Amino acid sequence: HPWRFNRLVAATGNKATVLWSLAIDLLEKALQAPCPTGRGEGAARAYETAHVTMDKHGGRTYYVRLLRHWWPLAPIDVLLETPEESRYRIQTASLDLHLAICQKAESRSLAVALASMYAKYVRELFMAQFNRWWSAQAATTDDAAAATTAGYWNDFRRWSAQVAPLVAKLHLPQEMFVRLR
């Protein structure tokens, strides 16, 4: 949600840091999840070896420093670092993680492509909820029906201009409903 994202960016001063920490948090949760086959029950981790492919974060090529922040005691082998792909092997007492961070990862990995499709679907659900909320606010303040938005930058600028009177009536800070960075 925008307010959470804006708060995290304000705390770190860096959008890339926030996006990376959220991605690594999700990776750690996935690695801790129960094994879907039922094997590994009672083990600290569901997987002994994991191969993970993820999309690049902006123009970053080198991830070792970031990885060392999350796994400070683990040996991290740099297997490849190019503008198109960075590959690492991270070994802990309970996990052998093979991490590939690729440009256009959805074209290299079916799992990444499916995750991307799912994320786009969830985004559409959130935008539908967002538009319903603004329409309801317009109805309760006797304003004309609030315009809907797809949420992309050019469309947002049009929408923002149309609902500016409603936003002013609601005294709602923009950082509550718009990512500021």
Side-chain angles (χ1 to χ4, degrees), residues 31-32 43-50 70-76 89-97:
L31 293 172
Q32 293 290 341
R45 288 194 185 263
Y47 308 95
E48 292 176 5
T49 301
W70 290 91
W71 289 283
L73 301 177
I76 300 174
R89 183 176 182 195
I90 304 159
Q91 296 175 294
T92 70
S94 60
L95 179 68
D96 184 11
L97 174 62

Side-chain angles (χ1 to χ4, degrees), residues 15-121:
K15 176 182 168 183
T17 299
V18 170
L19 294 174
W20 175 258
S21 64
L22 292 171
I24 293 299
D25 282 346
L26 288 172
L27 174 59
E28 285 186 323
K29 286 177 184 172
L31 293 172
Q32 293 290 341
C35 186
T37 62
R39 293 185 310 237
E41 290 180 27
R45 288 194 185 263
Y47 308 95
E48 292 176 5
T49 301
H51 295 268
V52 175
T53 301
M54 61 191 299
D55 225 351
K56 289 188 68 121
H57 287 239
R60 184 180 300 277
T61 298
Y62 307 102
Y63 293 85
V64 170
R65 187 178 55 78
L66 294 170
L67 293 170
R68 287 197 196 291
H69 175 77
W70 290 91
W71 289 283
L73 301 177
I76 300 174
D77 296 324
V78 177
L79 305 176
L80 177 70
E81 289 181 322
T82 69
E84 294 79 29
E85 181 177 4
S86 301
R87 291 185 171 272
Y88 304 92
R89 183 176 182 195
I90 304 159
Q91 296 175 294
T92 70
S94 60
L95 179 68
D96 184 11
L97 174 62
H98 299 260
L99 179 62
I101 307 169
C102 307
Q103 190 174 64
K104 299 182 180 175
E106 69 278 357
S107 66
R108 297 173 180 230
S109 166
L110 177 60
V112 174
L114 291 171
S116 178
M117 290 169 54
Y118 182 73
K120 287 178 173 89
Y121 174 69

